[in-house]
Amino acid sequence: MPNDDCRYLVHPIDRSPQLIVIGVDAHKSTHTFVAVDEVGRKLAELTAKATTDGHLSAIEWATQWPQLQFALEDCRHVTRRLEADLLNRGHAVVRVKTQLMALHRRSAREPGKSDPIDAHAVAMAALREPNLPIARLDGPAREVKLLSDHRHDLVCERTKLISRLRWHLHELDPELHVPLRGSGITV
């Protein structure tokens, strides 16, 4: 029989929806999504095409959880379109550095390497690391960077072609004088 001096603390049941983290392992042709709860238990997985239609089907699949966050391995050359599709539809997206997910993959219970294991590792790293970079839509700065990178590539290609031409000319005639910064070749 319980003593009247004993008080039982009753904690109200938390009925708020728990945060679900969906880790993504992205590749050129497919993306693998793994949903985990707040303690890291795998709830579900999905593999979708790396197209806007595939992204939309994954977003539709993810709507079964009311509160969620996407965590993408930070390889933007593969995830840029997925990030844009998620952000345009109002989803929270964080970027996980490859080194952070590698730590979890080494300590995972499942041996080996597969897309679902990698996606789960991304989700676990997102749960473990509180201050991950938040993905944002690219603006004019991205367009300027692309133009700047393209200009740099063109300058490098031009330099390579000029150097190759100079060596071919030297091979044909070692005594031929080719000015370093001239407007043409003197014969």
Side-chain angles (χ1 to χ4, degrees):
M1 182 160 199
N3 184 345
D4 287 339
D5 293 337
C6 279
R7 304 231 169 148
Y8 295 97
L9 295 175
V10 178
H11 296 287
I13 297 172
D14 182 12
R15 300 231 185 257
S16 64
Q18 66 178 359
L19 178 68
I20 302 301
V21 176
I22 298 179
V24 181
D25 182 42
H27 297 282
K28 283 192 324 186
S29 58
T30 62
H31 300 321
T32 300
F33 300 80
V34 170
V36 299
D37 63 11
E38 290 177 326
V39 294
R41 285 183 297 236
K42 182 176 172 181
L43 302 174
E45 77 177 61
L46 171 79
T47 299
K49 288 186 176 182
T51 62
T52 298
D53 288 340
H55 301 160
L56 293 176
S57 68
I59 291 169
E60 179 65 30
W61 167 80
T63 59
Q64 62 186 297
W65 298 287
Q67 186 177 353
L68 58 101
Q69 176 184 43
F70 286 86
L72 281 61
E73 183 178 0
D74 194 1
C75 48
R76 288 178 227 175
H77 60 286
V78 178
T79 61
R80 190 169 310 280
R81 177 175 283 181
L82 174 60
E83 275 184 14
D85 287 341
L86 292 169
L87 292 170
N88 283 329
R89 281 149 187 87
H91 291 286
V93 180
V94 295
R95 295 177 178 144
V96 177
K97 296 280 183 206
T98 304
Q99 297 87 347
L100 293 175
M101 63 163 283
L103 290 172
H104 174 74
R105 195 171 53 226
R106 272 188 243 121
S107 66
R109 291 184 181 152
E110 284 183 75
K113 183 175 177 346
S114 69
D115 294 346
I117 290 172
D118 287 349
H120 189 253
V122 171
M124 293 302 293
L127 284 172
R128 185 180 62 239
E129 300 293 329
N131 296 319
L132 292 171
I134 298 170
R136 304 217 187 288
L137 286 175
D138 294 325
R142 174 70 181 154
E143 294 170 7
V144 170
K145 183 182 180 336
L146 287 173
L147 290 172
S148 175
D149 288 351
H150 184 63
R151 181 188 181 282
H152 175 77
D153 292 344
L154 291 174
V155 169
C156 289
E157 185 69 23
R158 176 182 171 269
T159 303
K160 183 174 84 173
L161 291 172
I162 290 171
S163 294
R164 187 181 312 148
L165 176 61
R166 290 179 64 81
W167 278 111
H168 289 313
L169 290 171
H170 177 74
E171 184 179 330
L172 293 172
D173 185 0
E175 294 181 11
L176 180 66
H177 174 67
V178 180
L180 290 177
R181 291 188 176 254
S183 61
I185 299 172
T186 56
V187 182

